[in-house]
Amino acid sequence: MPQDAFILEKDHLVPLLRRLGRDRRLVAPVRNGYGDTLYAPVTDLEEDGLDLEARPQNSLKGFFFPQRERLFSYTVAPDTGGGHRYAFETHLPEERPTVYFGVRSCDLFGVLYCDLVFLKGRRRDAYYQRRRAGAVFATLACHHPFAGCFCNATRTGPSLELGFDLQLFDLGDRFYVETGKPGGAEIVARWPAFFQPAGEPDRQAQFQAALEARGLFERKIHVDLAVGLLAGREPEGVVRRLSERCQDCGGCAFVCPTCTCFTITDQPLDEHHGERVRTWDACTFSGFTRMAGDANPVDGATERVRRRFLHKLRHDVARHGRPSCVGCGRCLGICFGGVDMARFVEMVCSFGNHHATDEDAR
Amino acid sequence: MTPRSNATATYTANPYLPLPARIREVRPENPRVKTFVLEPADAGAEAAFSFEPGQFVMVSVPHQGEAPISISSPPGRGSGLTLTVRRAGRLTGAMHTLGPGDTVGIRGPYGRPFPMAELEGRDLLFVAGGIGLAPLRSALLACLAARERYGALTVLYGCRTPSDICFSRELDGWNAGEGLRCRVTVDRGDAAWQGRVGLVTTLFDEVDLRPERTSALVCGPEVMIRVVLDRLEEMGLAPETIFTTLERHMKCGIGLCGHCHHDGRLVCTDGPVFSKAELASG
Ligand SMILES: Cc1cc2nc3c(=O)[nH]c(=O)nc-3n(C[C@H](O)[C@H](O)[C@H](O)COP(=O)(O)OP(=O)(O)OC[C@H]3O[C@@H](n4cnc5c(N)ncnc54)[C@H](O)[C@@H]3O)c2cc1C
Ligand code: SF4
Ligand code: SF4
Ligand code: FES
């Protein structure tokens, strides 16, 4: 039995969160007045209905990489020499130690993937880094996967082997709690009254819960098979068919925990001042690659779907050794054209399996 | 892919922060193109800013955001930092209204440069189309500054019309240089044009090259690049010795925003300079 496993009685959850929220920001899945469950900052544990049952509609991406953020403000002022001066003032976000509680396994993987892009590349993103500093993750293993989830196929859930500070398993009347990274052990050490060492029956119950969850996925989605097939050939027919159904709305990229493309624009405030702003962008937008004079080196209409799926299932595999889809299933819910990751994988696999030509996909 | 050289960037804690640079001089090249001579507004920054041919900077123009522009001057102190800009839209249009004393923002230099060290000892063929001569000028002037290190130098330059020609003041000089040939052609001439008419590939018939000793540097519109690259390979140049630059929409310049993604590569950090062999393995 691991030394670092504990039991947290469900009655103790809110008091524990209250303590955690005292000197740190607390972010958790909260059901709002419209009935939507979103990861959101919790200010009042009584008022903000904590919802650990539903799948949060957003991922954690926006907490580290907001949909819109000001990078700089700038001034343009006449100069004594007859020209103009042009100066930038940086607006780095403040570092705010935050406990992210009730995070689903796939969503933590999403953050770890974003780290690869923003922190582990050749250049570090100072804005992301500030927001990411001091983050502690208490994840919640899924005891019943949601419709459309396929984290089993991407090996990002329904529970985790690593990456979390604390990992909770729902055992009905109590949570089984594992500690992972140091932030988790610190929490247990700081508030020991909430955590009883787990016993053998608890461990067995946790094992059973984790095993059952793994058997409850509704669809078999063969991500690895698709990755293998895509390494060898171009899925032209599949791409063409799905491109016809894509409405260029960007929804899939915006809900995706691992889609990180962005654009940078200036917003003039008056003649002498303005802001440089970064906003989410999506490679499914037909104008994503358009250059001056309307020249577009990539055909916007048919390339948009190709770009998104091949990036996740081919290029990121080459770059990072694994696909950047975490199987969260959010793009299945958002796309009204049915152009989602599960559909793409299934189409690629079925044509691959039958050794059919791409033309059959028409 | 590993960078061919340790591309020198002025590392700051915030990689998006532009450095103010004052415009010292503006030289009109033709009705749509101007060359801007810049100096960092902060004297200390000038020493820190070093680059290699083929690299680009992200240029900020007040209220217009940023655009990638290749450096057209050769590396080294004294020649200044020049950008040769074609009026293509909003930002470049606004930049054309600026004059000496005005300030722009620059960050960089970014991108993988031409492999100048690897090119030493070889004959070099520069093939440019239109504004594509800008990054090649940086490389050519670098070769002229270290003339003994390179073999014969040939420049083949094609433009749509005579009024699209850039650096025309320099072209004659290049032609007169020792071991240096320069040929220019236009797709369509005009009443005053006395020179050649035809696509840049027609110039290949006029020069003899020693394919096994020659490396090529190619820059221009994407269609031109494709034709020229194929032609060079037909002439016997090995794909590893043909270098070109790719152009993509760029927002960050440092491998983060995803805009310049091209079949698994990011043009801003893996390129913009690629060998033909690298492009074929995409
Ligand atoms: C590595 C590299 C090096 C370069 N070097 C040089 C150089 O040395 N010299 C040079 O002159 N140029 C160079 N360029 C090209 C230069 O970056 C572009 O010409 C410049 O970005 C054009 O910017 P703009 O704001 O003037 O045009 P924009 O106003 O951005 O675009 C012009 C037109 O494009 C269309 N368009 C563009 N984006 C969108 C969008 N998102 N939505 C809808 N329509 C859109 C519009 O029709 C618009 O009118 C280089 C490019 C790269 C990638
Ligand atoms: S694939 Fe679907 S969600 Fe994504 S941009 Fe196209 S229509 Fe929108
Ligand atoms: S591609 Fe779809 S299922 Fe995969 S991580 Fe993104 S939103 Fe989730
Ligand atoms: S310009 Fe942003 S990734 Fe290349």
Side-chain angles (χ1 to χ4, degrees):
Chain A
M1 184 182 355
Q3 290 271 291
D4 40 8
F6 302 89
I7 290 299
L8 168 69
E9 297 298 334
K10 281 201 170 166
D11 290 349
H12 290 164
L13 178 62
V14 169
L16 171 66
L17 292 180
R18 202 172 286 131
R19 301 262 189 324
L20 287 177
R22 258 189 215 154
D23 51 359
R24 281 182 272 206
R25 186 167 67 138
L26 179 64
V27 169
V30 166
R31 184 185 293 267
N32 66 18
Y34 303 101
D36 300 324
T37 296
L38 298 164
Y39 289 114
V42 180
T43 43
D44 184 334
L45 278 161
E46 273 71 44
E47 288 291 310
D48 301 332
L50 201 64
D51 179 6
L52 299 181
E53 289 306 315
R55 169 172 55 195
Q57 292 174 22
N58 57 345
S59 71
L60 291 182
K61 177 169 78 179
F63 289 92
F64 306 107
F65 168 48
Q67 184 160 2
R68 180 186 190 281
E69 81 178 305
R70 179 177 63 164
L71 300 178
F72 305 105
S73 52
Y74 61 83
T75 43
V76 190
D79 190 62
T80 42
H84 72 244
R85 258 179 307 121
Y86 178 33
F88 287 87
E89 191 195 338
T90 309
H91 295 284
L92 285 173
E94 53 172 321
E95 287 183 26
R96 284 171 88 188
T98 302
V99 178
Y100 294 89
F101 180 84
V103 174
R104 301 292 174 163
S105 306
C106 57
D107 286 335
L108 178 54
F109 253 94
V111 176
L112 299 179
Y113 174 78
C114 293
D115 288 353
L116 292 178
V117 175
F118 288 120
L119 300 179
K120 312 267 165 71
R122 277 174 234 176
R123 301 303 298 273
R124 241 183 233 178
D125 189 283
Y127 300 81
Y128 182 93
Q129 190 178 18
R130 284 285 184 105
R131 294 197 171 85
R132 186 67 177 76
V136 167
F137 298 95
T139 61
L140 175 64
C142 292
H143 53 87
H144 198 300
F146 301 99
C149 289
F150 54 99
C151 60
N152 57 334
T154 51
R155 288 184 297 278
T156 53
S159 51
L160 294 171
E161 301 292 323
L162 46 90
F164 54 86
D165 292 281
L166 290 180
Q167 171 163 245
L168 278 67
F169 290 84
D170 189 337
L171 300 183
D173 55 346
R174 63 202 194 282
F175 291 109
Y176 179 90
V177 184
E178 287 177 356
T179 56
K181 290 194 294 183
E186 243 167 66
I187 290 175
V188 174
R190 188 156 165 209
W191 293 288
F194 293 103
F195 300 95
Q196 315 306 318
E200 184 56 25
D202 300 318
R203 199 198 64 81
Q204 278 176 12
Q206 178 271 339
F207 183 78
Q208 197 59 34
L211 195 68
E212 267 170 36
R214 259 177 274 155
L216 291 173
F217 286 89
E218 288 176 4
R219 273 159 88 175
K220 292 276 166 287
I221 295 165
H222 300 287
V223 175
D224 287 342
L225 177 59
V227 166
L229 290 167
L230 289 171
R233 73 203 237 295
E234 244 347 81
E236 275 171 48
V238 175
V239 160
R240 202 181 320 118
R241 237 176 51 166
L242 291 180
S243 291
E244 282 163 9
R245 302 181 59 88
C246 171
Q247 300 300 308
D248 207 1
C249 74
C252 52
F254 282 20
V255 294
C256 183
T258 64
C259 276
T260 53
C261 290
F262 60 83
T263 187
I264 301 174
T265 47
D266 279 2
Q267 310 246 304
L269 296 173
D270 61 41
E271 200 185 331
H272 300 296
H273 302 91
E275 292 180 345
R276 180 155 294 174
V277 174
R278 149 157 93 182
T279 42
W280 290 356
D281 205 342
C283 70
T284 55
F285 290 148
S286 56
F288 189 72
T289 49
R290 182 157 50 217
M291 299 194 302
D294 264 351
N296 201 334
V298 256
D299 176 352
T302 62
E303 281 286 308
R304 51 193 174 198
V305 163
R306 178 177 182 271
R307 269 200 299 269
R308 180 158 190 277
F309 291 126
L310 289 196
H311 182 195
K312 293 186 126 42
L313 298 184
R314 182 193 275 175
H315 305 137
D316 279 336
V317 173
R319 216 166 250 259
H320 305 301
R322 51 164 301 130
S324 53
C325 170
V326 296
C328 73
R330 288 194 180 87
C331 58
L332 281 69
I334 202 97
C335 182
F336 38 83
V339 190
D340 56 63
M341 183 55 87
R343 172 80 65 97
F344 180 77
V345 166
E346 279 170 354
M347 283 172 80
V348 168
C349 291
S350 71
F351 297 125
N353 277 346
H354 299 118
H355 303 288
T357 65
D358 278 331
E359 276 314 300
D360 296 341
R362 296 237 58 174
Chain B
M1 195 183 311
T2 50
R4 259 192 303 262
S5 83
N6 287 327
T8 41
T10 26
Y11 286 94
T12 61
N14 187 345
Y16 301 100
L17 182 65
L19 203 72
R22 194 164 295 120
I23 299 174
R24 194 166 68 199
E25 190 191 333
V26 181
R27 303 180 199 139
E29 299 287 347
N30 67 43
R32 293 187 65 193
V33 177
K34 288 180 176 175
T35 293
F36 297 83
V37 185
L38 304 179
E39 58 193 12
D42 167 8
E46 183 157 16
F49 194 93
S50 67
F51 62 89
E52 294 173 55
Q55 290 196 292
F56 64 94
V57 288
M58 294 299 294
V59 183
S60 293
V61 175
H63 303 307
Q64 310 299 331
E66 298 183 307
I69 302 290
S70 303
I71 300 169
S72 59
S73 50
R77 222 68 53 78
S79 35
L81 174 71
T82 73
L83 305 177
T84 302
V85 180
R86 189 172 63 110
R87 191 154 36 83
R90 262 182 53 150
L91 183 141
T92 49
M95 191 163 176
H96 270 239
T97 67
L98 302 181
D102 285 336
T103 312
V104 293
I106 53 171
R107 58 189 179 94
Y110 294 137
R112 205 168 56 140
F114 289 111
M116 299 310 291
E118 193 183 304
L119 299 175
E120 285 186 15
R122 298 184 59 84
D123 291 350
L124 299 183
L125 173 66
F126 298 83
V127 187
I131 187 78
L133 188 54
L136 294 191
R137 176 181 184 263
S138 174
L140 177 67
L141 294 183
C143 292
L144 293 178
R147 190 65 197 86
E148 67 291 350
R149 293 197 206 148
Y150 302 91
L153 304 176
T154 307
V155 179
L156 305 182
Y157 184 34
C159 286
R160 263 184 310 187
T161 70
S163 71
D164 290 308
I165 295 173
C166 302
F167 309 111
S168 44
R169 289 178 306 274
E170 295 171 47
L171 293 170
D172 290 340
W174 294 348
N175 213 9
E178 201 173 318
L180 177 65
R181 279 173 303 186
C182 178
R183 301 276 183 277
V184 182
T185 181
V186 295
D187 298 353
R188 267 176 291 118
D190 59 20
W193 180 251
Q194 308 266 306
R196 288 172 197 76
V197 176
L199 300 178
V200 72
T201 41
T202 60
L203 295 175
F204 284 113
D205 303 332
E206 298 187 20
V207 292
D208 15 285
L209 302 168
R210 298 170 288 186
E212 65 299 334
R213 330 186 12 165
T214 302
S215 292
L217 290 75
V218 183
C219 187
E222 206 139 311
V223 263
M224 178 214 109
I225 290 179
R226 236 172 286 147
V227 174
V228 168
L229 259 50
D230 288 344
R231 182 67 193 273
L232 290 170
E233 213 175 341
E234 276 167 34
M235 288 166 62
L237 270 71
E240 298 76 31
T241 63
I242 305 173
F243 298 93
T244 188
T245 66
L246 285 190
E247 196 174 315
R248 285 290 178 279
H249 192 99
M250 290 187 184
K251 280 296 179 182
C252 71
I254 55 175
L256 297 174
C257 75
H259 274 90
C260 68
H261 187 267
H262 169 68
D263 279 332
R265 285 182 265 233
L266 296 171
V267 174
C268 66
T269 49
D270 295 328
V273 173
F274 294 97
S275 72
K276 184 168 196 288
E278 286 166 346
L279 291 178
S281 70

